[in-house]
Amino acid sequence: MRARIAIVCVLALAAAGCGAGGAGGAGGAGGAGGAGGAGSPAGSAGSGAGSGGRSGTSTGVLPIKAHPQSVDPNGDAAAPTGSAPVGDVNAHAPALSTVKRELKRLNICGGATTASEAAPLVAGRAPGFFPDPGTIQNVGQLPILTARLDQLAKALHVRIYGISGYRTPEHSVAVGGYANDPHTLGEAEDIGVNSLLRSSAAQISEAALARFGLYRPFDPSGSPDNTEVNHIQLIPAGGELSLSQAEAELNPDPLC
């Protein structure tokens, strides 16, 4: 009888130990994989680890996640060609020394005197007025004068180049001109037609100039041999000045 009681007690103790071990194992699974014991203090340790794992997740610490990245499936495609580029994509600015040298020569002569020097630094591609780089075209009457030259060029289907517009009195004297010539007042423009050649302005007749309120005060003949053939001004409100009046009231450009 006593033997049976002893066996029952042993079985009961064994069952109790297994239960404790199972609880420990469960705690370990709930945490960071703590190993549960098999009815031993190790089971309690596993339960503690499990409890620690659960408390760790309750502190708000979240695992690091990567940020999603958008991918353009056409990222390597060519740029759209729906609109034309603005300006001349092949144009290159000339050297400053080149611009200064040309301006000095053109101001002294009122334009190129040989075909070899007549190519503009920046060539226009359509009819219209094109000021030479470095010239000043916004003083005095020049905005009106150049606008009319632009209208004239488009009407004749030519390119008119503005060789010399406004010049300061100091600049005018430095290139051999006068301190009070029409250029220093913003009242005159030296032009070239389809080139910077001075004589090229003879292509435009006095009648064509007059239709746009323009004239040659120092060369009414329009002769290509006249050094003032490309000097253009607005017709005054009182009418064109005669050659003698123009020479008396206005100083012409310097002779080359």
Side-chain angles (χ1 to χ4, degrees):
M1 184 65 178
R2 289 181 179 177
R4 291 180 179 178
I5 292 174
I7 292 172
V8 170
C9 289
V10 171
L11 293 175
L13 290 173
C18 290
S40 64
S44 298
S47 177
S51 174
R54 286 193 299 274
S55 63
T57 59
S58 65
T59 60
V61 179
L62 299 176
I64 298 175
K65 295 182 179 180
H67 295 286
Q69 301 293 325
S70 60
V71 177
D72 183 1
N74 298 317
D76 59 347
T81 58
S83 58
V86 177
D88 184 358
V89 296
N90 298 315
H92 296 282
L96 181 59
S97 59
T98 302
V99 174
K100 288 183 176 180
R101 184 171 60 253
E102 177 169 305
L103 285 175
K104 183 177 180 179
R105 173 175 53 79
L106 294 178
N107 281 331
I108 291 176
C109 302
T113 56
T114 63
S116 61
E117 299 176 327
L121 290 175
V122 179
R125 295 192 174 188
F129 174 80
F130 301 92
D132 215 34
T135 58
I136 300 174
Q137 307 290 350
N138 59 355
V139 177
Q141 299 176 351
L142 284 171
I144 298 174
L145 175 55
T146 55
R148 294 189 183 181
L149 285 171
D150 185 64
Q151 295 170 356
L152 171 62
K154 291 175 180 177
L156 299 179
H157 302 287
V158 298
R159 296 180 296 278
I160 294 179
Y161 292 100
I163 296 172
S164 183
Y166 172 75
R167 297 195 294 252
T168 65
E170 296 79 8
H171 183 192
S172 187
V173 171
V175 298
Y178 305 91
N180 62 340
D181 69 27
H183 287 280
T184 66
L185 305 175
E187 296 177 353
E189 184 75 39
D190 293 340
I191 67 169
V193 178
N194 294 327
S195 75
L196 302 182
L197 197 63
R198 182 176 62 195
S199 60
S200 65
Q203 300 176 51
I204 302 177
S205 67
E206 287 294 310
L209 288 170
R211 289 204 305 270
F212 293 87
L214 306 170
Y215 81 125
R216 297 182 179 95
F218 302 116
D219 181 26
S221 68
S223 169
D225 297 326
N226 191 308
T227 58
E228 297 291 342
V229 68
N230 67 336
H231 179 102
I232 308 299
Q233 292 185 220
L234 293 173
I235 296 176
E240 295 184 16
L241 298 178
S242 66
L243 179 58
S244 59
Q245 288 175 319
E247 290 178 340
E249 297 184 20
L250 305 171
N251 285 317
D253 286 340
L255 300 180
C256 183

